[in-house]
Amino acid sequence: MVIFSHTIFYVKDILKSVAFYKNVFGFELKFMHESKQYAELNTGATVIAFASESLGDFNLSKGYIHNDINQLPLASEVCFTVSDVQNFYKKALKAGAIAVAPPQEKPWGQTVAYVRDENYSDFL
């Protein structure tokens, strides 16, 4: 059996990432390593975790593309289903996220918005 258990983002500032998710979505800290190089949030069945870029450099010894707010986002999305997209979009912007696309209704009836912060690509 295979279980999708974690998504890990290598970020510049783990504490800032944890605070962003707590402030916007209300996710509480599940685990923080004493080194502050790794943290997990209580997000349901699949854990969102953050690791320092230095840990990423160690784990991925051949290198990787570091997230850079001055570059286009990586080819991925992290999606959250929320009760009020407009409200969470405003909350994310107030918490420091950068607008990518404001809330809009898609042809299939779903309302979506996209935001990004300086540590990683983050989408609603």
Side-chain angles (χ1 to χ4, degrees):
M1 172 169 53
V2 177
I3 297 172
F4 179 31
S5 64
H6 289 69
T7 295
I8 301 172
F9 296 97
Y10 293 105
V11 298
K12 291 176 180 48
D13 188 332
I14 289 174
L15 297 177
K16 188 173 183 179
S17 294
V18 168
F20 177 81
Y21 275 93
K22 180 177 176 50
N23 292 337
V24 177
F25 300 106
F27 296 141
E28 296 294 332
L29 185 66
K30 178 179 181 180
F31 170 78
M32 171 93 60
H33 187 271
E34 62 189 33
S35 68
K36 305 239 187 311
Q37 297 293 305
Y38 179 82
E40 297 177 352
L41 298 176
N42 279 320
T43 56
T46 304
V47 173
I48 293 178
F50 303 99
S52 67
E53 287 184 341
S54 60
L55 187 57
D57 295 338
F58 176 78
N59 288 340
L60 306 168
S61 61
K62 292 186 178 184
Y64 66 98
I65 298 171
H66 291 241
N67 290 304
D68 182 344
I69 199 64
N70 297 310
Q71 300 295 322
L72 291 173
L74 300 176
S76 63
E77 293 183 25
V78 177
C79 303
F80 297 99
T81 300
V82 298
S83 56
D84 181 347
V85 174
Q86 185 71 37
N87 179 50
F88 278 92
Y89 179 78
K90 288 178 185 176
K91 205 171 177 182
L93 295 180
K94 189 174 181 180
I98 297 164
V100 174
Q104 56 186 279
E105 187 173 335
K106 296 296 185 179
W108 52 88
Q110 180 184 26
T111 300
V112 299
Y114 296 88
V115 298
R116 185 176 186 210
D117 82 11
E118 64 189 348
N119 279 321
Y120 50 88
S121 299
D122 179 26
F123 303 89
L124 292 174

